Amino acid sequence: MPEPLTAGFNPGRPLHRDWRAAWIAVRNLLRDPEDTEQVFRIMRALNADTSHRNYTRLLRSAEGGRIAFRHVELADRLGDRGWIDAFPAGSVGAAYRAFLDRTGFSAQGLADISYAENAEFRDSEHPYAWFGRRERDVHDIWHVLTGYTAEEPLGEACLVAFSYAQTGGLGWGAIGAMAALKSLKITRDTRFARAVWEGYRNGRRAAWLHGEDYEALLAEPLDAARRRLGIVEPVAYQRAQAWLRGRGLSGI
């Protein structure tokens, strides 16, 4: 039986879904898309056993046992600027480096925001807690791989839809669906919603990205990695992005 959110922390058991807390957080996020803390409230309220199921799937994958055994903390690895700077031009790592420089984001910054709602995950040595941290830390790499820009609501909405397809986490699904619905009211047009739906379909089509060795993946040429992983060009997203920019709209 899942534990309620107020129970003592035990990473070995999934949290109980809290629909009211999720609804409040989704409304707050749609009111202020820059309030990243709300994303982690939604994840905590709705994702329940998502990390548990995906960790088990990782162990069943070809390289998953080795990845889990090594237990790399990606926030620490991605925060090593010397390591990031060593990736050659054209690689996934170089594109991630450009992403960091352009946005000012960092893996540790995202981790610190997440701990405002999930402080108990910071030092937990349980494998499910480790996998949850890993799920968080690859988010910006997924921005790079998919081409969904992190600095706009549309890019984030498309990536959360992609993430829902990849993980099955209801938190991702709720954010993407509510963003698409709000866009219909704000823009009186379906382009934003169609791009979000494309994100979901592209996530279903792609290889399971949580099974990747990210240290190795960052060294791959970006175009080759996208081909290998089945990540296709987000055509509907690019069209919606151009349409919104031409009208000075954010979409939500």
Side-chain angles (χ1 to χ4, degrees), residues 216-238:
L217 175 60
L218 287 168
E220 289 187 44
L222 177 59
D223 290 342
R226 285 171 171 165
R227 287 193 299 271
R228 179 177 67 80
L229 296 169
I231 298 175
V232 299
E233 184 177 3
V235 176
Y237 163 70
Q238 293 168 353

Side-chain angles (χ1 to χ4, degrees), residues 16 18 34 44 60 73 75 80 109-110 115 129 132 135 138 141 151 190-191 208 217 221:
H16 179 70
D18 186 336
E34 301 299 319
R44 184 178 180 89
R60 292 199 302 264
E73 292 289 346
D80 182 348
L110 188 63
Y115 294 138
E135 288 181 306
V138 299
I141 300 176
E151 304 96 309
T190 62
R191 286 176 177 84
W208 190 58
L217 175 60

Side-chain angles (χ1 to χ4, degrees), residues 31-203:
R31 190 178 300 119
D32 179 9
E34 301 299 319
D35 188 359
T36 308
E37 189 172 316
Q38 300 299 327
V39 173
F40 293 104
R41 290 180 180 174
I42 297 164
M43 296 300 112
R44 184 178 180 89
L46 292 185
N47 276 4
D49 65 342
T50 300
S51 292
H52 303 64
R53 289 186 286 102
N54 285 321
Y55 179 77
T56 300
R57 182 176 179 180
L58 177 69
L59 294 181
R60 292 199 302 264
S61 68
E63 293 294 316
R66 180 182 61 81
I67 294 169
F69 179 78
R70 290 182 62 219
H71 218 78
V72 172
E73 292 289 346
L74 285 176
D76 295 339
R77 199 74 176 108
L78 296 172
D80 182 348
R81 185 61 196 222
W83 183 64
I84 294 296
D85 284 343
F87 288 108
S91 65
V92 177
Y96 177 67
R97 180 173 65 240
F99 171 92
L100 297 177
D101 292 342
R102 184 182 76 248
T103 63
F105 297 167
S106 69
Q108 189 57 54
L110 188 63
D112 289 343
I113 294 170
S114 77
Y115 294 138
E117 285 300 312
N118 303 283
E120 61 269 35
F121 278 91
R122 181 190 296 269
D123 299 316
S124 174
E125 295 181 346
H126 196 287
Y128 293 155
W130 165 78
F131 190 82
R133 294 190 295 269
R134 188 174 188 270
E135 288 181 306
R136 173 200 66 202
D137 296 338
V138 299
H139 178 77
D140 287 343
I141 300 176
W142 288 16
H143 270 297
V144 170
L145 289 170
T146 60
Y148 294 130
T149 305
E151 304 96 309
E152 60 182 13
L154 177 62
E156 286 290 357
C158 290
L159 186 61
V160 299
F162 183 98
S163 299
Y164 174 54
Q166 285 275 311
T167 69
L170 288 181
W172 295 121
I175 296 170
M178 294 302 293
L181 289 173
K182 185 177 179 182
S183 77
L184 297 174
K185 179 180 179 180
I186 298 297
T187 68
R188 304 293 182 182
D189 189 89
T190 62
R191 286 176 177 84
F192 188 113
R194 282 184 291 179
V196 173
W197 176 244
E198 178 190 58
Y200 173 76
R201 289 189 290 108
N202 287 352

